[in-house]
Amino acid sequence: MNSNEQEVRSADGTRLVVRRAGAGDPVVLLHGSGGGLHSWAAVAGRLAGSYELWMPARRGYGPSDVPPGRKSFKDEVADLLAVIEAAGQPVHLVGGSYGATLALHAAAAEPGRLRSLAVFEPPLFAAGESIEPLLARYQAAFARDDAGEMFAVLNEVTRVPPPIVAAFVAAAGDQRPDPAEARRSAIGWLHDLEALADDSPDPARWSSITVPTLLMQGADTWEPMPTTMDALAAALPAARRVSWPGQSHFATMTAPDLVADALREFLAEVAAQPGPTCRGQYDLS
């Protein structure tokens, strides 16, 4: 384990590896499906001069533990609380994709542990009964190590348009992912799908969230994400909202400056105006 990493134990004993950087008020960054300790690196490098950043590898993703049994968002909220305890005070919570859905769960369940919430494109549409048959297909493909079928299932879950999938395949060419990294990602996806299948797709349930909130999205992300973000914004009318032209669901990697600048401005406003603020929408393009 690197010197900038530490272990945190969740309530059920699950070992979580957390990467830390910077100094200042604590900010926890939650990665999406298929991600890991590296996922927020580009954004974190732009924020470390102002904040103490905590970046856990979520359960199911090495080098954190992969506990047995079916995973739930309740498990992951407990994991997050352990990280917050290690930070020693309420945190600013940031989540991307699946990590954004987890962040919403945490904000609804444990608002007193958070100073603010920022979420980037939570896939709220990818939840509930519709995911169960996709989970079963993925489990079967995982068991026989069928990378092609796993890839196909995940495209159905995320609803990435075929032209974008084709562009990814073409860009990869003859390159093949590192087998160990591919397996780590596949295991993490498997357990994320378990939690998604047991979740609800209803965005109205987040209307109880009261902490200052920032909603972030790419203006070019495909449907149903734009409709989903509209529904989430309707459920959280006091939230700020930013949409970046020319960016999509990969903005945290393709435009880290935009993401870091939006977070920096939002967090500065939260620090200057404690309590519920942030009404309306704004454009940081």
Side-chain angles (χ1 to χ4, degrees):
M1 191 162 57
N2 297 332
S3 59
N4 63 339
E5 296 173 2
Q6 72 180 70
E7 293 184 357
V8 173
R9 292 281 176 176
S10 189
D12 66 356
T14 297
R15 180 184 63 92
L16 305 168
V17 176
V18 183
R19 182 168 291 171
R20 293 178 60 186
D25 289 341
V27 178
V28 177
L29 299 158
L30 299 174
H31 68 80
S33 296
L37 291 173
H38 62 283
S39 295
W40 284 98
V43 174
R46 291 160 170 80
L47 294 176
S50 303
Y51 299 97
E52 181 182 71
L53 307 171
W54 294 68
M55 295 165 279
R58 295 188 289 100
R59 70 166 59 205
Y61 288 90
S64 293
D65 284 350
V66 183
R70 185 164 171 136
K71 190 179 76 170
S72 70
F73 278 106
K74 183 178 180 180
D75 296 328
E76 294 211 82
V77 169
D79 295 346
L80 176 59
L81 293 180
V83 174
I84 294 173
E85 287 292 335
Q89 58 181 299
V91 304
H92 300 286
L93 182 61
V94 181
S97 196
Y98 176 104
T101 303
L102 171 56
L104 289 168
H105 275 275
E110 299 286 345
R113 306 296 188 97
L114 307 184
R115 292 184 62 188
S116 71
L117 171 70
V119 294
F120 175 75
E121 295 196 351
L124 304 179
F125 58 86
E129 294 180 358
S130 66
I131 300 301
E132 196 67 49
L134 296 173
L135 169 61
R137 281 176 53 198
Y138 190 89
Q139 289 171 323
F142 180 86
R144 62 178 185 269
D145 198 22
D146 186 342
E149 174 65 2
M150 285 188 283
F151 183 67
V153 171
L154 296 183
N155 287 334
E156 291 187 43
V157 172
T158 57
R159 307 190 199 179
V160 182
I164 296 179
V165 174
F168 278 136
V169 172
D174 294 332
Q175 295 180 353
R176 293 292 179 266
D178 174 78
E181 176 61 21
R183 189 68 175 176
R184 184 199 68 83
S185 178
I187 291 170
W189 261 110
L190 173 63
H191 294 294
D192 285 354
L193 289 173
E194 292 171 345
L196 290 170
D198 291 336
D199 202 26
S200 166
D202 179 15
R205 63 193 165 131
W206 306 119
S207 61
S208 64
I209 292 175
T210 57
V211 298
T213 300
L214 172 66
L215 308 181
M216 302 177 287
Q217 68 188 97
D220 292 358
T221 302
W222 51 90
E223 285 288 357
M225 186 59 77
T227 298
T228 299
M229 292 301 294
D230 288 346
L232 180 59
L236 297 169
R240 283 196 178 273
R241 188 178 182 186
V242 55
S243 178
W244 297 297
Q247 299 301 322
S248 70
H249 196 61
F250 314 108
T252 55
M253 295 178 290
T254 60
D257 284 321
L258 289 178
V259 179
D261 288 347
L263 289 171
R264 190 181 295 109
E265 182 171 330
F266 172 65
L267 296 179
E269 181 177 288
V270 171
Q273 301 179 15
T277 60
C278 312
R279 201 167 275 280
Q281 299 184 16
Y282 68 141
D283 186 354
L284 294 180
S285 60

